[in-house]
Amino acid sequence: MSNILVINCGSSSIKYALILEGYDYRIYGLAENLGTAQARISGVTFGNEKFEVELGQADHKQALEVAMSRIGKIKFDAIGHRVVHGGHLTQAQLLSAEVIQHIKDVSPLAPLHNPAHIIGMEATLALYPDLPQVAVFDTAFHQTMPAKAYRYALPKALYEEHSVRRYGFHGTSHAYVSERASSLAGKKNQGGWLVAHLGNGCSTCAVWNGQSLDTSMGLTPLEGLVMGTRSGDVDPSLHHFLATNLGWDLMRIDKMLNKESGLLGLSGLSNDMRTLIEASEQGNENATLAIEVFVYRLAKSLAAMSCALPALDGLIFTGGIGENSGYIREKVVAALPHFGFSLDKEKNSLRGKEMRVDAGTHPQVWVIPTDEEGRIAQETRQVALTEV
């Protein structure tokens, strides 16, 4: 098993990457607006050459055919599919009729994601029926959480009969960066690590000896931190307040919480942290408030996650904001003075580099660019080698 094709399928998009053994770059691409007249695909072919093609009304299968034609004669040994929600499954699974049915069964827990993943699986199974294909779940890494971390204080029938519990997401990212940081620190998958995955979606995680013990996202990715357009935690009675006083239905409330809130809602300006930092520096008070709420809620979550750890070896920042914004890292560390973190200002000012950014003190602070595709390829390779 050497070359692995990784597929991340959305309702109208396909993101793919071919992980090549022995090469320091990847063949990758993104198909967007599938099923519409604006459908297009762009990416990089073998030799690191860029391309862009209009697809007309192409569906997922047709877009994959174009993508595979751009890969050319390079063969791959297995296909790994990113799947957001795996329910109770604790590890990646070789695709079978039973596994696909399970992904369908838990679709009510991820209605925007799992049905789209099925579309991608059906397309690749039609194109490559003889290749091993593996489902890699965002939720699987967090299945090591103890019941005290994943159970809600709700009637137990909701858990026992309807699987209402905390699942957590960004699992492939948390798994990759915690393993990478612990390896760089000289003790792979050992010790206690706090992870902050900060992008348009954000989550924290407490990792002990390579296992997730708690995470900020819950039944859905809406729970937890302030994000780009997601509110994160709110009073559960907000739904009742909005329905009673404003006449909003559940669809309107759900749209507001997921797409109109977070940094965008607080600032009234943007969900992009770079835009907000620039606006704040120019005196925009709403942008400043959005940043302050984001940082405070993040620091509070990291402090809460530390309760799951017997000891703390370090803090890891990853994701677009975590990897590139020394400004946010500095503010988060400053909001946690009792943890003993100390940053090296020069190192912390660098962007997008894998590095230790503390001042040589304990606990350590790391910036680890995430590699979810690499992690999916790794898990796909392991499952395909074991079960095929």
Side-chain angles (χ1 to χ4, degrees):
M1 289 288 164
S2 52
N3 299 337
I4 305 294
L5 178 66
V6 175
I7 300 287
N8 182 358
C9 193
S11 59
S12 62
S13 67
I14 301 173
K15 183 179 180 182
Y16 68 91
L18 181 55
I19 314 298
L20 301 168
E21 188 174 52
Y23 289 86
D24 59 0
Y25 69 91
R26 296 171 180 177
I27 296 172
Y28 63 87
L30 173 64
E32 303 174 277
N33 304 314
L34 298 179
T36 75
Q38 289 74 44
R40 58 188 292 273
I41 185 171
S42 60
V44 170
T45 65
F46 186 74
N48 216 22
E49 296 181 4
K50 295 181 179 180
F51 75 92
E52 183 172 334
V53 178
E54 300 296 326
L55 297 177
Q57 297 280 347
D59 59 17
H60 288 74
K61 184 173 181 291
Q62 291 167 328
L64 274 171
E65 289 173 343
V66 173
M68 297 307 98
S69 71
R70 294 289 167 164
I71 288 176
K73 297 181 179 179
I74 301 175
K75 295 183 178 180
F76 43 91
D77 305 289
I79 300 174
H81 295 267
R82 180 202 177 217
V83 181
V84 165
H85 218 303
H88 65 269
L89 294 177
T90 61
Q91 61 185 12
Q93 300 285 323
L94 194 68
L95 281 192
S96 64
E98 291 76 18
V99 170
I100 291 175
Q101 186 59 51
H102 174 78
I103 295 169
K104 292 178 179 178
D105 290 343
V106 299
S107 287
L109 298 172
L112 298 179
H113 298 94
N114 276 29
H117 301 325
I118 295 294
I119 293 172
M121 291 172 191
E122 290 174 345
T124 56
L125 286 168
L127 290 171
Y128 302 101
D130 299 324
L131 276 184
Q133 301 196 33
V134 176
V136 181
F137 304 100
D138 266 6
T139 50
F141 181 63
H142 302 300
Q143 292 299 299
T144 51
M145 289 193 297
K148 65 182 181 182
Y150 71 71
R151 284 291 296 272
Y152 289 115
L154 298 171
K156 65 178 183 178
L158 288 174
Y159 169 68
E160 294 172 345
E161 299 173 20
H162 303 285
S163 302
V164 175
R165 52 159 286 181
R166 302 182 67 250
Y167 289 94
F169 300 87
H170 293 150
T172 51
S173 177
H174 288 301
Y176 172 79
V177 300
S178 59
E179 181 178 294
R180 180 64 179 162
S182 62
S183 296
L184 292 170
K187 45 181 183 179
K188 183 177 179 180
N189 284 335
Q190 296 297 310
W193 296 87
L194 294 174
V195 184
H197 176 110
L198 310 176
N200 194 47
C202 303
S203 65
T204 57
C205 187
V207 181
W208 177 253
N209 290 344
Q211 294 189 329
S212 172
L213 295 187
D214 202 356
T215 189
S216 58
M217 287 178 168
L219 176 71
T220 75
L222 183 59
E223 184 179 344
L225 306 178
V226 172
M227 308 178 214
T229 63
R230 296 179 191 142
S231 65
D233 293 340
V234 296
D235 187 327
S237 288
L238 176 63
H239 287 69
H240 182 268
F241 175 85
L242 294 174
T244 302
N245 292 279
L246 302 183
W248 289 13
D249 61 20
L250 286 176
M251 294 298 292
R252 176 70 185 91
I253 296 170
D254 185 73
K255 179 182 178 183
M256 181 271 292
L257 292 173
N258 279 285
K259 298 182 178 180
E260 300 170 357
S261 299
L263 293 173
L264 176 62
L266 280 165
S267 69
L269 179 64
S270 176
N271 64 323
D272 190 311
M273 183 61 76
R274 295 165 296 185
T275 300
L276 296 181
I277 292 173
E278 182 178 350
S280 176
E281 291 172 345
Q282 296 173 354
N284 187 308
E285 294 181 357
N286 290 325
T288 299
L289 176 63
I291 294 169
E292 289 178 348
V293 173
F294 177 89
V295 168
Y296 176 68
R297 291 273 292 274
L298 171 55
K300 188 164 70 167
S301 178
L302 288 168
M305 288 294 127
S306 73
C307 295
L309 300 176
L312 177 60
D313 288 86
L315 168 63
I316 306 164
F317 290 97
T318 192
I321 298 172
E323 295 165 22
N324 293 294
S325 182
Y327 175 81
I328 294 298
R329 295 193 296 263
E330 182 178 359
K331 290 181 75 68
V332 171
V333 166
L336 296 165
H338 42 294
F339 280 76
F341 298 122
S342 179
L343 292 177
D344 181 305
K345 289 189 176 181
E346 183 177 350
K347 291 179 180 178
N348 188 55
S349 66
L350 301 176
R351 294 167 52 88
K353 294 182 178 293
E354 181 180 86
M355 56 188 169
R356 182 174 169 180
V357 296
D358 60 77
T361 54
H362 184 84
Q364 301 174 20
V365 183
W366 285 86
V367 175
I368 305 290
T370 193
D371 186 6
E372 293 173 277
E373 291 159 345
R375 177 74 185 197
I376 291 170
Q378 175 187 328
E379 294 191 32
T380 298
R381 193 176 289 114
Q382 290 171 345
V383 170
L385 278 172
T386 302
E387 299 191 28
V388 173

